[in-house]
Amino acid sequence: MSLHAAEFFAELCLPFDHAVVGNTYFAAPVPGAPLRLRIDFTSTIHADTYGGLRLAVIHPDRGEIDAVALSFLDHGTFHRRDEANNTRPNTKQYATFSTNRHPGRPPWEGAVTTGLRGAIEQYTAVWFPGAWAASTPHRAASRTAHRAPAPQATRSQARTR
């Protein structure tokens, strides 16, 4: 059964020029730079069951430079689904998804990708500084600080004797 990888990566709303080949996301966060980003699903000890994403920075000549694994458990991806289904921790189904479930629907149905997206943003900020902001100007504008007026200083009351 298909992972519906293209749909999963679309849910993440990553702002990079990319291609999904099979179950892998490839991106060039900084156009013209040699470094690339690759994102794969990480397997668990159970067949056809996935527990997170693996991000890797790839150089065309030197190969993989750095990699990090982001687990669905650590980023709360399936917390709501597992709570609603009363899925117990330390079971095969907890904080994972399997391709052997729900024919015709994405196996990762019920995923909340906000935590994963934030972790990907932090990771790419290290290896591709400015790429995220350059790709999403509307986000950069929303992060501007607004100055609030300072509260008026009041004189402390003098003690009387």
Side-chain angles (χ1 to χ4, degrees):
M1 177 179 272
S2 172
L3 285 178
H4 297 268
E7 292 90 347
F8 183 87
F9 293 122
E11 280 283 319
L12 287 171
C13 298
L14 301 177
F16 311 122
D17 290 331
H18 70 280
V20 177
V21 180
N23 296 325
T24 304
Y25 176 95
F26 294 96
V30 178
L35 295 180
R36 301 290 182 254
L37 176 66
R38 180 182 70 211
I39 304 176
D40 297 297
F41 292 94
T42 58
S43 301
T44 66
I45 61 171
H46 303 284
D48 299 321
T49 303
Y50 301 90
L53 298 176
R54 182 177 188 274
L55 283 65
V57 175
I58 310 295
H59 188 276
D61 297 327
R62 292 185 274 164
E64 188 173 289
I65 294 176
D66 188 61
V68 64
L70 305 175
S71 76
F72 295 143
L73 176 63
D74 291 344
H75 296 91
T77 307
F78 293 107
H79 178 75
R80 283 192 216 161
R81 180 205 67 187
D82 291 343
E83 198 172 74
N85 295 335
N86 201 25
T87 305
R88 312 281 297 157
N90 300 320
T91 61
K92 175 184 173 183
Q93 296 83 18
Y94 189 73
T96 65
F97 72 85
S98 172
T99 58
N100 298 325
R101 299 172 65 190
H102 310 295
R105 296 192 326 228
W108 44 266
E109 186 174 48
V112 177
T113 58
T114 309
L116 283 174
R117 187 177 195 277
I120 293 169
E121 182 176 4
Q122 287 179 336
Y123 183 76
T124 56
V126 172
W127 286 100
F128 308 99
W132 199 280
S135 299
T136 56
H138 61 280
R139 283 180 52 99
S142 67
R143 288 188 174 188
T144 58
H146 298 285
R147 290 193 180 261
Q152 296 236 344
T154 59
R155 297 182 69 169
S156 61
Q157 295 178 350
R159 293 202 308 183
T160 58
R161 293 185 198 216

